[in-house]
Amino acid sequence: RGIFVLNQCINHLLIGCMVKTKEKIEGLVHQLCEGLYEREEVMKLALLATISGESIFLLGPPGVGKSLIARRLKNAFNGGKSFEYLMTKFSTPDEVFGPISIKKLKEEDKYERLTSEYMPGATIVFLDEIWKASSSIQNALLTIINERVYRNGEQENKVDIKSILTASNELPPNNASFGPLWDRLLIRFQMNGVKQRNSFIKLITDTKDVYDVNIPAENQINLDELSEWGKEINEVEVPEEVLNTIQFIREKIEDFNEKKGQEEAIEIYDRRWKKIIRLLRTSAYLNDRKQIDLMDCFLMVHCLWNTPNQIEPIKDIVSEVIRKHGYSVTLKLGMIRKELEAFEEEVNQEVFVNHIIEEKLPKDYDETYFQVEKPNNNFEGKYLKINDFNKISTDESQIVNFYDDEFKLVNRLQTIKEKDEFSLSVTHNSQTYKLGIETLIKEKKKRIFKKPHKLVSAFWTEKANQLTTFIKDQQQKLNSFSPGDSDSLSFNLFIDEKLSKIVLANYNEALQKLKEYKLWLEKIEHLYR
């Protein structure tokens, strides 16, 4: 009992810490976004990238706030250093990684840099006009971004850089040298000018210094805290519905590439997918969850494009996959449907016997006329219209038109229907004649129910019970997601709330399908019982 109580206390403490983390990030986001206009999303993504240990690239023309995001972001952290540099084609490694140590060179004959006040000694780094970096700077950046290692002379020094923000008003030049660096920048965000009228007016009339953000130390993230979060983020689970979603998105991208060709292909390699999982785990953790959910998956939109014209297709792919396959694949709805189809077919074949009966039917011509069979040629007329025949009754005679072989009207006769449904009596020149409608014999299948054998019925009952249990299990599994009651849909720190409609639509559809399958199974049981 003592161990149980201790575990409960530990769980309460852990939950309390998680709530504190979420509240802290929510408050921090609010302070970082204060005074920004239509820049909240990119600010949140920059913070998320930093906490997850990933890098972000901001694409946009001059004057849209790329450097503003980086300078504000560094205020979110307590301790550490920031480093900011504007690349030019004349930039040298000395300006980014530090000058050569003359003392080391003279006394020890070692080629090492003094890095403490430069990029390798920083916590948050902002590199503007990144594509103007020389090949020597690029090569050093690759190991820093991917391995958090800077090769300083003969040494490999671990760096404490949490995130690198990069920016440019253009995409990387279309050559192989920039490919590795471009691939390592996980989040990509296109920034444009302010669009909404009210936001624009506020922006140009606001007199506050947008770079001056005063965040109290207790609200900032300290480096020890960030390190501890990193360990806990690794423990966040990746559920089946998220893995299925990623697989489907990957397949959709492959389909897109086949249609568009190499020039417009969306190129995503294994390393980027692995980094995406880390980003989604971070989002889940900061939103107070122990596992990723489908709302977190919308972050992939910012990680998959190579050119801006791919952004909308990727949005469509991600939304479509979540809408169609989100929970549906995890719940094995397709498998349940196939099982029910096979079960119903098996029952039908056993309990129903097809009995063939012959049926006499009128023979029609062009679906318009019936031909009459006359005992002699006492009057003209060989055909009558089907519509006219259907109007004739056995109670009262009426005038009916008769037609010749060319379907021209040749007679109008008083006609009444006999008790035999395909016989008529007509009056011509005060004489009554009995006519028949030309018929044909057709075979017709009639299903006759046959009670199944007791052993067969028992086997089916066992099978039905197994299916019933499986459907109930899937319903419970779906209920455990609880998007209707959970804050994960109505509130996510990094995702637009409007996107929750897509997840909820798939949830409701899956719920409805399970109800339909349960009713379908009950009908099959009723059939053989």
Side-chain angles (χ1 to χ4, degrees):
R1 179 173 174 81
I3 293 173
F4 174 77
V5 172
L6 180 60
N7 286 335
Q8 289 292 94
C9 291
I10 291 171
N11 287 336
H12 284 306
L13 284 171
L14 287 172
I15 292 170
C17 291
M18 288 182 73
V19 172
K20 186 178 178 183
T21 300
K22 181 181 179 181
E23 290 175 352
K24 182 169 187 173
I25 296 299
E26 188 177 356
L28 190 56
V29 165
H30 177 74
Q31 289 174 307
L32 287 171
C33 293
E34 192 174 358
L36 293 181
Y37 302 99
E38 298 181 24
R39 297 290 176 266
E40 293 84 358
E41 184 178 17
V42 65
M43 189 75 253
K44 293 175 184 179
L45 289 173
L47 180 63
L48 177 64
T50 303
I51 296 174
S52 66
E54 296 298 342
S55 301
I56 184 170
F57 170 71
L58 307 179
L59 174 65
V64 294
K66 299 189 295 293
S67 61
L68 170 62
I69 299 300
R71 290 172 189 173
R72 280 209 170 200
L73 182 65
K74 66 184 180 183
N75 291 294
F77 299 90
N78 185 5
K81 301 176 183 177
S82 63
F83 178 80
E84 181 178 334
Y85 188 78
L86 173 64
M87 294 286 184
T88 69
K89 60 182 179 179
F90 303 109
S91 296
T92 65
D94 291 8
E95 296 168 299
V96 179
F97 306 113
I100 302 300
S101 172
I102 304 299
K103 183 178 180 181
K104 285 271 188 181
L105 191 60
K106 282 184 177 181
E107 296 178 4
E108 301 178 33
D109 194 26
K110 290 185 177 180
Y111 189 86
E112 292 183 8
R113 298 185 184 276
L114 301 172
T115 60
S116 61
E117 300 302 319
Y118 292 83
M119 181 179 169
T123 307
I124 305 293
V125 175
F126 176 56
L127 301 176
D128 202 0
E129 296 302 332
I130 183 65
W131 309 124
K132 290 184 171 62
S134 63
S135 58
S136 57
I137 294 175
Q138 286 182 56
N139 291 335
L141 284 175
L142 293 179
T143 55
I144 290 176
I145 293 175
N146 206 48
E147 304 167 36
R148 292 298 190 262
V149 167
Y150 174 64
R151 293 191 175 90
N152 190 5
E154 297 176 355
Q155 299 180 10
E156 287 193 353
N157 298 331
K158 280 283 185 182
V159 298
D160 198 29
I161 296 174
K162 303 304 178 187
S163 184
I164 299 176
L165 287 81
T166 62
S168 179
N169 57 13
E170 59 186 359
L171 291 171
N174 192 19
N175 59 58
S177 64
F178 286 95
L181 180 57
W182 175 235
D183 184 63
R184 283 166 171 78
L185 303 177
L186 180 62
I187 296 180
R188 297 157 181 182
F189 193 90
Q190 185 177 27
M191 297 182 66
N192 297 302
V194 172
K195 293 181 179 179
Q196 296 181 8
R197 183 178 182 276
N198 291 340
S199 298
F200 176 71
I201 296 300
K202 289 177 182 178
L203 172 69
I204 61 175
T205 58
D206 196 341
T207 58
K208 293 179 183 177
D209 183 359
V210 291
Y211 292 97
D212 183 20
V213 182
N214 184 22
I215 299 177
E218 62 270 18
N219 294 346
Q220 293 176 316
I221 303 169
N222 63 62
L223 299 186
D224 291 337
E225 196 173 28
L226 193 59
S227 178
E228 188 61 32
W229 287 355
K231 297 173 186 176
E232 293 173 1
I233 287 168
N234 289 335
E235 302 301 318
V236 173
E237 297 176 10
V238 187
E240 187 180 353
E241 64 269 16
V242 170
L243 292 175
N244 288 332
T245 297
I246 291 173
Q247 286 280 24
F248 275 107
I249 289 173
R250 189 164 175 252
E251 290 172 11
K252 290 285 185 181
I253 289 175
E254 289 173 359
D255 293 342
F256 176 88
N257 291 345
E258 285 184 12
K259 292 176 183 177
K260 294 294 183 178
Q262 188 61 37
E263 290 186 3
E264 298 181 50
I266 301 170
E267 296 179 347
I268 310 294
Y269 301 108
D270 295 347
R271 175 174 54 205
R272 178 166 289 272
W273 288 113
K274 189 173 180 65
K275 285 175 173 285
I276 285 172
I277 291 292
R278 171 71 180 180
L279 188 74
L280 303 188
R281 279 187 163 128
T282 306
S283 173
Y285 176 80
L286 297 179
N287 276 289
D288 230 5
R289 283 181 275 106
K290 294 181 180 179
Q291 66 176 24
I292 302 170
D293 70 8
L294 292 178
M295 279 293 282
D296 297 316
C297 292
F298 286 106
L299 289 168
M300 286 190 278
V301 170
H302 305 293
C303 305
L304 299 176
W305 60 269
N306 297 313
T307 59
N309 61 359
Q310 294 174 347
I311 296 175
E312 287 305 316
I314 287 172
K315 281 183 180 179
D316 292 341
I317 288 172
V318 173
S319 296
E320 180 190 3
V321 168
I322 292 175
R323 172 63 186 86
K324 289 185 177 180
H325 307 291
Y327 296 116
S328 306
V329 177
T330 303
L331 298 171
K332 299 179 174 61
L333 296 184
M335 187 203 76
I336 297 173
R337 179 178 55 78
K338 288 180 180 178
E339 286 283 338
L340 289 172
E341 286 175 349
F343 190 18
E344 186 177 50
E345 179 66 20
E346 182 181 336
V347 171
N348 280 334
Q349 288 182 359
E350 181 68 24
V351 303
F352 287 114
V353 176
N354 288 326
H355 181 63
I356 306 298
I357 59 173
E358 291 185 344
E359 187 176 23
K360 186 167 72 169
L361 298 171
K363 183 179 180 181
D364 61 74
Y365 290 81
D366 297 328
E367 299 181 353
T368 305
Y369 297 91
F370 285 155
Q371 183 176 348
V372 296
E373 297 174 338
K374 297 187 294 184
N376 50 50
N377 293 319
N378 292 329
F379 66 89
E380 286 187 279
K382 188 177 180 182
Y383 298 94
L384 75 160
K385 287 186 176 180
I386 295 174
N387 287 341
D388 290 344
F389 174 81
N390 291 333
K391 293 175 185 177
I392 304 170
S393 71
T394 57
D395 301 325
E396 185 178 352
S397 64
Q398 55 186 298
I399 300 298
V400 174
N401 295 330
F402 286 82
Y403 301 83
D404 63 13
D405 287 330
E406 295 179 355
F407 300 106
K408 292 180 180 179
L409 178 62
V410 292
N411 234 324
R412 290 170 57 81
L413 303 175
Q414 199 79 24
T415 307
I416 191 169
K417 192 176 287 186
E418 297 286 336
K419 290 181 180 180
D420 180 354
E421 60 178 327
F422 301 123
S423 296
L424 301 172
S425 289
V426 298
T427 302
H428 180 259
N429 293 333
S430 301
Q431 294 291 321
T432 300
Y433 303 96
K434 190 172 182 180
L435 310 177
I437 299 297
E438 189 173 306
T439 59
L440 49 82
I441 302 299
K442 280 191 175 180
E443 289 185 346
K444 183 179 179 181
K445 287 183 181 180
K446 184 178 181 181
R447 294 209 306 175
I448 301 174
F449 179 79
K450 180 188 73 172
K451 190 171 180 63
H453 190 278
K454 287 190 298 183
L455 292 177
V456 175
S457 184
F459 171 75
W460 285 342
T461 298
E462 184 180 351
K463 186 172 185 177
N465 289 339
Q466 290 174 350
L467 283 169
T468 299
T469 301
F470 187 77
I471 291 172
K472 285 181 178 178
D473 289 344
Q474 300 309 92
Q475 286 176 322
Q476 290 177 358
K477 188 175 183 179
L478 185 62
N479 290 336
S480 70
F481 299 133
S482 302
D485 302 323
S486 173
D487 288 339
S488 64
L489 275 184
S490 59
F491 179 79
N492 185 303
L493 286 167
F494 310 103
I495 308 296
D496 189 343
E497 183 181 342
K498 294 176 183 177
L499 295 173
S500 65
K501 294 179 181 177
I502 297 173
V503 181
L504 193 57
N506 179 260
Y507 176 89
N508 289 332
E509 185 178 274
L511 187 64
Q512 182 60 33
K513 283 287 183 186
L514 287 173
K515 289 179 181 178
E516 290 174 5
Y517 291 162
K518 186 172 181 292
L519 180 61
W520 186 0
L521 181 56
E522 289 172 358
K523 288 179 178 179
I524 296 172
E525 289 183 272
H526 178 74
L527 187 62
Y528 72 81
R529 286 184 191 279

